[in-house]
Amino acid sequence: KQGGIFGYIGQTTDLVFKDNNVTPDMSKTPPTSVNPFLGAGNYPSAVCYFEQRRVFAATDNAPQTVWMTKPATESNMSSSLPTNDGDAISFTLGAREQNRIRHLVPIDDLMAMTVGCEFRIYPAGGDIVAPATINARAQTYTGSSQVQPVTTNGTVLYVQAQGERVHELGYSGDSGTRVYRSNDLCRVAHHLFDDHTIVDMAYSAGSVGTLWVVRDDGQLMGLTYVPEEKVVA
């Protein structure tokens, strides 16, 4: 123990370990376990998996906060001091206004779909998600409704915050200059959605991919969607 912190001195596969004045490694400290989801108002409303971590987001008390477990665990939120790459991660999205996270969608990056904008969450300057590399950056400003988004061929299909349009979220550029763009897929048939909202959505994969949406009056509509062939009908 030095300065109130315990340091690592070694390990053994035998029944005995001799501490012959071993100098402690203060960069390796015992993990501290926390549970941020105890009590009313602290239950997450979005969850997914990303880079071998389980990801939670959006409690009533912290609507813009994201929590990631230690790699390859379901619920281990422990961390140590100083931090290392295998620690749990928590951070809050920075925005000009409160934007509650409604969905977490893992594609090549992790997309946090909020009420007012879409965030890209990714490891900055590294290939692994770690406390020192995690970064979040706003990409588009359409916002997402409560309808569960769907993913296909590296894109996210989601209902915008107002509930009356389906948008396609995909990226352009390479990994170093990646920017996500949002495109309104209802533009060529907007009359089918005017004065209505979308209440449910599902994607049917097959020889011809089809996105099915349910309108608030019970009408079912299908969108033929094959982005690699630039087919949207």
Side-chain angles (χ1 to χ4, degrees), residues 96-195:
R96 294 182 299 172
E97 57 188 15
Q98 187 184 83
N99 284 317
R100 183 185 181 95
I101 300 170
R102 284 182 165 169
H103 309 285
L104 294 171
V105 184
I107 45 178
D108 195 37
D109 297 311
L110 176 62
M111 306 306 299
M113 319 294 288
T114 78
V115 173
C117 64
E118 290 69 51
F119 281 85
R120 172 194 176 201
I121 300 173
Y122 63 101
D127 295 328
I128 63 171
V129 172
T133 65
I134 197 69
N135 194 22
R137 182 171 296 177
Q139 300 293 294
T140 60
Y141 290 86
T142 56
S144 178
S145 77
Q146 296 282 15
V147 176
Q148 187 74 20
V150 299
T151 58
T152 173
N153 299 324
T155 62
V156 181
L157 305 181
Y158 68 101
V159 179
Q160 72 172 137
Q162 289 77 12
E164 60 181 14
R165 292 289 188 269
V166 176
H167 278 247
E168 169 195 53
L169 183 68
Y171 65 81
S172 59
D174 56 33
S175 59
T177 59
R178 180 170 299 171
V179 176
Y180 285 79
R181 306 293 185 187
S182 182
N183 180 40
D184 182 3
L185 295 179
C186 299
R187 183 179 294 112
V188 296
H190 62 87
H191 61 284
L192 297 176
F193 301 90
D194 290 343
D195 302 319

Side-chain angles (χ1 to χ4, degrees), residues 5 12 19-21 30 45 55 59-60 74 76 87 97 99 110 112 138 153 161-162 177 194-195 232:
I5 300 175
T12 181
D19 179 6
N20 298 321
N21 294 321
S45 57
V55 187
T59 66
D60 287 345
E74 293 286 320
N76 190 336
D87 282 345
E97 57 188 15
N99 284 317
L110 176 62
N153 299 324
Q162 289 77 12
T177 59
D194 290 343
D195 302 319
V232 179

Side-chain angles (χ1 to χ4, degrees), residues 5-6 25-30 79-85 87:
I5 300 175
F6 287 96
D25 183 354
M26 302 309 295
S27 67
K28 297 180 180 180
T29 59
S79 60
S80 55
L81 186 67
T83 58
N84 60 67
D85 290 348
D87 282 345

